[in-house]
Amino acid sequence: MKLALIGLPKCGKTTVFNAVVGTHKERQTPAHSAVQNIAMVKVPDERLDFLHSLFPEKRCTPASIELLELVGIFPSPWEVHAESATALALLREMDLIVEVIRTFPDETTPHPKGSLDPVRDLRDMEQELLLNDLLSAEKRIDKLKKAITKPTPTQQKDKEELEVLLRCKEALDKGQDVSTLPLTTTQQKQIKGFCFFTEKPRLVVVNVGENQVNREFKDLPTKAQVLAFCGKLESELLGLEDKERAEFQGAWGISEPAGLRLLKACYKTLNLVSFYTMEGEEIRVWSIPRGETALTAAGKIHSDIARGFIKAEVMSLADLKTLGSIKEVKAHGKLHVVGKEHIVQDGDIITFRFHV
Ligand SMILES: Nc1nc2c(ncn2[C@@H]2O[C@H](COP(=O)(O)OP(=O)(O)OP(=O)(O)O)[C@@H](O)[C@H]2O)c(=O)[nH]1
Ligand SMILES: [Mg+2]
């Protein structure tokens, strides 16, 4: 899973990045100048820790997320980055976009627009994403309009693609996201290659000042989940020892570290469920979209497991926790044998039986 932090210059993207990643060794050296920071973040998972406590001899593999901080996506009169085009191309590859906006005052680093206005900044950012989608759609529409006048082997396909792109353009012209369009699966496939920004799940992070730590932002013009935290405080928090950190959190009224809140919000926004496997020497967590079947889960691990799927044995992590051991789970009839159609629940522990 890949996420990118985007925002206006000096809105605190690096500070938010540090608050999520800490100073850990997961940091990597960016391959592009359009990427300011990049890291693989291990997702903290209490359920995985619990399974590991039952089977300490097994290797434990947590989920990880690739987090990027992109530079200069938003061309504006005061700052145009040469890397904008690369940053936009990279942003198209992301599973989720995190929009960072700033409300912290800082006289030494003034807001590039001269004042603090989160509603304006979010609107501008959304507008920029939307305009970029409109440009991509229009470019292709022009090409297709010419192409369909000639009797080519792809004429029919081109006509259908043009039809769906015209609908996207119509929505974008009205300021609506592509994600709001009711499209058939075929139509979704037809526009998949464009990786429209307004089709991607988004999260908003308000980087607040030290005097606004528990402020909520309910009036922002977005349907996305909004998280507010003070990036600067949160990154300082990560540098502390456990005891000190707990005191610090308590004193500031921070219930959960920002990094963890952000990761949880990502899972929620992407509508993912986690399931666990404990085969062989390894305990591992996997994610698939909510509502998917055991067959999809099998395919997530290996195409062979999906191809040769016979059945799956499923228990819930909650039952294992309550009953204390797999033996007790079995004794209470809580280990279920299911077929391909089983809808995977968050916290399922699955053993796949397959034959290839
Ligand atoms: N007081 C305060 N200052 C902050 C906060 N977050 C960031 N800053 C300061 O604002 C300045 C810019 O923060 P960065 O995190 O570098 O912002 P950025 O968006 O990564 O900046 P660029 O990548 O250069 O565009 C730094 O001097 C930070 O110390 C905050 O929550 N409170
Ligand atoms: Mg930065």
Side-chain angles (χ1 to χ4, degrees):
M1 199 193 318
K2 287 183 169 192
L3 331 179
L5 299 172
I6 61 166
L8 285 169
K10 307 296 168 204
C11 64
K13 299 180 294 297
T14 301
T15 313
V16 169
F17 182 92
N18 291 340
V20 178
V21 176
T23 47
H24 301 152
K25 50 188 178 301
E26 287 86 359
R27 268 165 204 271
Q28 300 164 353
T29 310
H32 298 276
S33 53
V35 179
Q36 210 174 64
N37 282 294
I38 182 165
M40 288 303 292
V41 184
K42 290 203 172 71
V43 181
D45 185 338
E46 283 172 3
R47 298 186 295 195
L48 196 67
D49 295 343
F50 165 72
L51 289 177
H52 200 203
S53 72
L54 289 187
F55 305 98
E57 70 286 359
K58 288 190 193 246
R59 196 169 67 245
C60 195
T61 311
S64 57
I65 286 181
E66 191 171 77
L67 181 70
L68 282 82
E69 176 195 351
L70 295 178
V71 292
I73 289 195
F74 305 104
S76 43
W78 63 87
E79 189 165 11
V80 179
H81 283 284
E83 298 95 349
S84 273
T86 318
L88 281 171
L90 287 167
L91 192 60
R92 294 206 187 280
E93 294 170 13
M94 297 296 130
D95 299 302
L96 190 145
I97 301 176
V98 183
E99 297 169 301
V100 182
I101 49 174
R102 154 180 180 178
T103 66
F104 68 85
D106 186 347
E107 273 158 27
T108 55
T109 320
H111 189 291
K113 293 194 177 181
S115 63
L116 296 173
D117 185 344
V119 173
R120 171 202 61 201
D121 292 351
L122 186 58
R123 235 181 234 142
D124 287 357
M125 198 154 26
E126 297 268 312
Q127 188 67 16
E128 199 60 43
L129 295 177
L130 197 134
L131 281 176
N132 273 290
D133 280 356
L134 194 56
L135 283 176
S136 330
E138 282 173 344
K139 225 160 108 186
R140 181 71 182 151
I141 286 171
D142 286 347
K143 272 200 185 136
L144 287 170
K145 275 187 175 162
K146 282 186 200 125
I148 58 163
T149 57
K150 294 170 205 131
T152 60
T154 58
Q155 194 183 31
Q156 187 51 31
K157 231 173 101 236
D158 290 347
K159 276 185 184 166
E160 287 164 15
E161 189 187 337
L162 178 62
E163 193 186 319
V164 63
L165 280 175
L166 285 170
R167 281 182 63 200
C168 294
K169 176 173 154 50
E170 194 187 342
L172 291 163
D173 276 333
K174 284 192 247 164
Q176 290 164 357
D177 289 353
V178 171
S179 64
T180 61
L181 282 174
L183 297 178
T184 63
T185 316
T186 315
Q187 289 171 327
Q188 278 169 1
K189 274 193 196 142
Q190 279 165 329
I191 60 162
K192 199 164 175 248
F194 294 96
C195 305
F196 287 127
F197 298 129
T198 63
E199 244 203 318
K200 289 186 188 292
R202 270 164 285 168
L203 257 180
V204 176
V205 166
V206 190
N207 189 19
V208 304
E210 288 82 340
N211 58 347
Q212 304 175 313
V213 171
N214 288 309
R215 199 178 137 190
E216 287 190 46
F217 291 82
K218 291 196 170 140
D219 49 353
L220 292 177
T222 178
K223 286 193 206 85
Q225 190 179 345
V226 177
L227 290 180
F229 55 80
C230 177
K232 206 169 173 188
L233 270 187
E234 295 277 352
S235 50
E236 284 167 16
L237 197 95
L238 294 187
L240 302 176
E241 297 295 327
D242 288 353
K243 188 168 166 272
E244 247 185 315
R245 188 185 308 139
E247 283 170 13
F248 188 98
Q249 270 184 232
W252 283 94
I254 298 170
S255 53
E256 214 172 26
L260 191 56
R261 282 176 60 207
L262 184 80
L263 295 175
K264 281 185 181 173
C266 291
Y267 274 72
K268 195 171 159 208
T269 301
L270 290 166
N271 207 10
L272 297 175
V273 294
S274 298
F275 68 94
Y276 299 80
T277 54
M278 301 199 294
E279 276 303 274
E281 300 302 305
E282 191 181 29
I283 307 172
R284 209 168 157 168
V285 56
W286 311 81
S287 298
I288 52 169
R290 189 177 296 281
E292 288 289 348
T293 61
L295 189 63
T296 307
K300 176 87 190 179
I301 300 171
H302 202 289
S303 54
D304 280 352
I305 307 183
R307 203 153 40 84
F309 190 105
I310 301 168
K311 61 180 181 171
E313 287 160 15
V314 181
M315 68 183 121
S316 83
L317 214 139
D319 284 340
L320 180 59
K321 218 165 179 178
T322 313
L323 297 166
S325 70
I326 294 178
K327 201 172 150 210
E328 284 301 307
V329 170
K330 283 182 183 164
H332 283 77
K334 299 277 189 188
L335 181 75
H336 305 288
V337 177
V338 301
K340 291 175 183 176
E341 320 70 32
H342 167 76
I343 302 293
V344 175
Q345 305 297 312
D346 191 45
D348 273 356
I349 303 170
I350 311 182
T351 307
F352 294 98
R353 302 286 174 221
F354 63 104
H355 180 76
V356 282

